[in-house]
Amino acid sequence: MFDWLQLLSDPNARWILLGSMLLGIGGGVIGSFAYLRKQALMGDALSHAALPGVCIAFMLSGSKSIGLFLIGAAVAGVAATYGIGFMTRHSRIKPDAALAIVLSVFFGLGIVLLTRIQHSGSGNQSGLDKFLFGQAASMVRSDVITMAVISAVLIGACALLFKEFKLLSFDPGFARGVGYPTVLLDQLVMLLLVVAVVAGIQAVGVVLMAALLITPAVSARYWTEKLGVMVVLSGLFGALSGIAGTWISASGNNLPTGPLTVLACTAIFGISVVAAPKRGIVAKRVIRAMARSRLARESETERLRTERGEQAL
Amino acid sequence: MSTFWIILTGALVAASCGIVGCFLVLRKMAMIGDAISHSVLPGIVIAFLLSGSRDSLFMLLGAAALGLVTVFLIQWLHRSGVQSDASIGVVFTALFAVGVILVSLYTRDIDLDLDCVLYGEIAYVPWNTIEIGGTDIGPKAVWGIGLALLLIVLIVGAFFKQFKLCAFDPALAAAVGIPVALFHYLLMGLVSVSTVASFESVGAILVVGMLVVPPATAYLLTDSLSRMIGYSALVGCGSAVAGYYVARVLDASISGSMVCVAGAMFLLALLLSPKHGVLVRQWKQRRFARERSA
């Protein structure tokens, strides 16, 4: 009972909690645009593709600075999006296969580089494998500050470009018609996805970062029909699961943060599926039962009326 | 001798994944392969915890069950109004997270290594052998994957016509009385089987590479399904052999190198395939333009 109070009094833990909260918000916000644009699995591909970028950045610099990883992962992510786009536009490969090919080949390359770094045994490499699943407890304050700044920039960009992204999500043809630079905006969404992935690498890890981009957005979609509300809710769900995951991981049992965060997220999703108004299972059952009883009542009155009519005759 | 066993394991994995992967690529379900390869992890771990042994049969059953659960959940979510790719993402990340947590919870008590499950350690294959009547008959993994490959070849061979029709025209297949849903789940079961048979050697994450990259390469090379399956198995085996030697030279992960070599082969096919290659088509267009102007 007193454990978590103690956790809050530790300044480092407070920073980490703040960082994962901001990360959850960022992932949830950009994730909802990706979901509405039917590119939910893009986040999956990009987070796997970030691994070789991170490894190359480490091999070139020899240091574990999150700024350099950001650059490496961003370059790898842009290469991945370009590869997927090239394949779908210029060959008979379908988008889903293109996504899977880029994801697995980049990840394979990442594993090759990672094992090479581990075998070469340059003392500083320990902990690089934590990037696969994330270990929030291993973050130091400067990492958290970088992560928080990245997430804040991400949220700010989405807030500023809200109108543009909204139009792009619902009617890209119209957006092009009224003169928005849709190609540029499209690439900006991809870039922001890459940024979110990079911010999450240390806390959640590359393998499960996709969940933070998809699950909060899908959960939020259950509760509302309005984009603004959905983005806010999705950010909120992301923040909640970030806090829950980090908290459980930090309170001692040394489980990796990423999977715990994802499970917290999935729990919120489960609640949404069951309990959301209008779209949830319970609400649907209630609506159906009400409709059925109204129908029964109406047919009953109808029957009575015809009977009475027959008697009058 | 151990080199031979490693390469044989890799080739068997590549062949079995390459065969079922063709149907995934044709039915535009490549990402379902990705999802299944992630979400069999909790099945493997639970089967291991329940049976207490690394007996392949239990793991095979556990993984096949989880694979079917995954497909079922994805379809259920999709039917209740979630986009299909988003439902894939939600389901497999959740199940994979459960698997990773189970592994890290029990990893101190059991010898199921997280790294090994995720990106495979094919180098250990030759040391884990079976003996029958005192004679060593080869590594366990080779027998496991060999049986999986045999099963896949038998089932795909027996129902080739049905699978083919379901892949290209499910509506027609349903109209002529083929139980499309049954074959869908049968295919998904085969994907799970090939995933779990390979997870020890290639790792859960890299199976998706073997499931998708060789079939996509073959898809660029031919228009006939039976040839596509053959090419896909060949490309897979080729990348297994070449990947082993690349890994030896680089001193890096063998399974990662296999997927990288497969990726390189795919790139070659993408650019230079005689019929669908990007560069080849450009050359043809240029020659055509020159002939017209001449």
Side-chain angles (χ1 to χ4, degrees):
Chain A
M1 186 60 206
F2 290 101
D3 274 1
W4 62 275
L5 278 176
Q6 230 163 13
L7 198 70
L8 276 185
S9 64
D10 176 8
N12 203 34
R14 257 188 315 214
W15 274 106
I16 291 174
L17 271 183
L18 180 73
S20 34
M21 191 182 80
L22 280 170
L23 170 72
I25 300 178
V29 168
I30 189 65
S32 10
F33 291 110
Y35 173 59
L36 288 176
R37 306 206 48 227
K38 301 194 170 52
Q39 288 178 324
L41 284 176
M42 201 65 178
D44 186 31
L46 290 181
S47 52
H48 282 75
L51 188 63
V54 169
C55 289
I56 291 175
F58 176 80
M59 282 168 119
L60 291 180
S61 69
S63 68
K64 278 187 290 185
S65 108
I66 192 171
L68 284 171
F69 289 168
L70 175 72
I71 298 170
V75 171
V78 171
T81 47
Y82 179 76
I84 293 170
F86 181 82
M87 266 184 246
T88 42
R89 252 178 289 124
H90 294 287
S91 76
R92 64 201 301 228
I93 300 290
K94 307 288 180 297
D96 65 314
L99 210 63
I101 290 167
V102 166
L103 181 154
S104 55
V105 173
F106 271 64
F107 196 75
L109 189 64
I111 296 291
V112 167
L113 293 173
L114 193 67
T115 42
R116 227 183 118 55
I117 293 171
Q118 279 166 348
H119 291 178
S120 70
S122 62
N124 200 11
Q125 48 84 15
S126 67
L128 205 61
D129 55 343
K130 286 275 184 283
F131 284 115
L132 283 174
F133 294 107
Q135 189 58 278
S138 70
M139 290 192 291
V140 293
R141 201 172 137 187
S142 62
D143 292 340
V144 178
I145 293 177
T146 322
M147 208 170 102
V149 170
I150 296 171
S151 307
V153 168
L154 184 71
I155 299 163
C158 287
L160 281 177
L161 292 170
F162 182 74
K163 193 178 52 161
E164 283 81 358
F165 284 171
K166 187 176 178 177
L167 201 53
L168 193 70
S169 315
F170 289 113
D171 198 343
F174 181 66
R176 205 176 309 128
V178 296
Y180 283 148
T182 45
V183 177
L184 195 71
L185 284 173
D186 214 32
Q187 276 162 357
L188 194 63
V189 174
M190 287 300 147
L191 192 68
L192 288 178
L193 270 178
V194 173
V195 168
V197 165
V198 173
I201 278 181
Q202 233 175 349
V204 189
V206 293
V207 179
L208 287 169
M209 188 55 210
L212 269 193
L213 294 169
I214 302 172
T215 313
V218 183
S219 319
R221 185 68 187 84
Y222 268 90
W223 296 87
T224 175
E225 307 283 328
K226 286 182 91 104
L227 179 64
V229 184
M230 177 184 160
V231 170
V232 171
L233 266 183
S234 167
L236 191 72
F237 290 161
L240 274 178
S241 37
I243 291 174
T246 317
W247 176 41
I248 301 171
S249 163
S251 51
N253 45 19
N254 204 24
L255 290 175
T257 325
L260 288 170
T261 309
V262 172
L263 282 188
C265 221
T266 313
I268 295 177
F269 174 72
I271 295 171
S272 309
V273 169
V274 174
K278 279 192 198 166
R279 295 170 143 245
I281 295 177
V282 173
K284 268 186 188 160
R285 286 264 161 86
V286 169
I287 290 171
R288 207 173 296 158
M290 273 161 65
R292 202 172 293 147
S293 74
R294 202 176 55 221
L295 195 70
R297 227 174 22 242
E298 273 169 9
S299 61
E300 180 69 18
T301 46
E302 188 70 13
R303 196 176 60 83
L304 284 176
R305 201 175 292 148
T306 47
E307 264 177 19
R308 217 170 291 152
E310 275 163 9
Q311 275 174 2
L313 278 172
Chain B
M1 196 60 190
S2 71
T3 307
F4 168 74
W5 286 123
I6 292 174
I7 292 180
L8 181 64
T9 313
L12 287 173
V13 167
S16 49
C17 289
I19 293 172
V20 289
C22 283
F23 295 99
L24 288 182
V25 168
L26 285 175
R27 299 191 63 179
K28 303 194 188 72
M29 294 193 307
M31 288 311 277
I32 290 205
D34 180 40
I36 290 183
S37 63
H38 281 73
S39 61
V40 294
L41 180 61
I44 292 167
V45 181
I46 292 171
F48 182 78
L49 289 175
L50 286 182
S51 70
S53 70
R54 291 176 74 147
D55 192 355
S56 307
L57 186 68
F58 277 105
M59 291 197 178
L60 206 69
L61 288 177
L66 252 288
L68 293 180
V69 167
T70 313
V71 177
F72 180 74
L73 280 177
I74 289 172
Q75 280 196 334
W76 177 72
L77 276 181
H78 182 50
R79 262 209 313 273
S80 71
V82 181
Q83 287 165 21
S84 64
D85 56 344
S87 42
I88 291 175
V90 170
V91 171
F92 89 80
T93 50
L95 288 173
F96 190 66
V98 171
V100 174
I101 286 184
L102 282 177
V103 172
S104 23
L105 269 180
Y106 297 101
T107 193
R108 285 152 225 146
D109 313 328
I110 60 177
D111 56 344
L112 196 62
D113 190 8
L114 190 59
D115 294 352
C116 177
V117 173
L118 293 173
Y119 44 88
E121 203 37 278
I122 203 169
Y124 297 150
V125 161
W127 281 279
N128 190 5
T129 55
I130 330 178
E131 283 178 19
I132 289 182
T135 45
D136 195 338
I137 56 162
K140 233 172 166 177
V142 170
W143 284 96
I145 301 165
L147 282 178
L149 179 62
L150 189 69
L151 183 74
I152 289 166
V153 169
L154 281 181
I155 292 184
V156 170
F159 300 108
F160 185 70
K161 225 187 305 171
Q162 284 86 342
F163 274 120
K164 189 173 177 178
L165 202 51
C166 289
F168 288 107
D169 197 341
L172 178 65
V176 297
I178 296 171
V180 177
L182 178 71
F183 277 99
H184 177 72
Y185 280 101
L186 192 58
L187 180 64
M188 293 301 138
L190 289 183
V191 173
S192 313
V193 165
S194 54
T195 304
V196 72
S198 340
F199 92 97
E200 243 180 321
S201 44
V202 195
I205 295 177
L206 291 174
V207 169
V208 64
M210 283 302 172
L211 274 174
V212 178
V213 181
T217 313
Y219 184 55
L220 287 170
L221 293 175
T222 174
D223 287 338
S224 119
L225 177 62
S226 42
R227 246 181 249 157
M228 178 175 163
I229 292 176
Y231 287 167
S232 163
L234 272 182
V235 168
C237 293
S239 42
V241 176
Y244 175 75
Y245 288 103
V246 170
R248 276 269 289 266
V249 172
L250 290 177
D251 183 25
S253 153
I254 297 175
S255 53
S257 309
M258 287 176 178
V259 174
C260 285
V261 172
M265 286 189 181
F266 172 76
L267 194 66
L268 277 180
L270 180 68
L271 297 177
L272 297 175
S273 149
K275 209 167 177 186
H276 304 285
V278 175
L279 288 181
V280 173
R281 248 185 306 159
Q282 268 180 11
W283 288 330
K284 274 186 192 157
Q285 273 169 6
R286 214 169 291 162
R287 205 176 55 204
F288 185 62
R290 223 182 302 136
E291 275 168 14
R292 293 252 333 238
S293 62

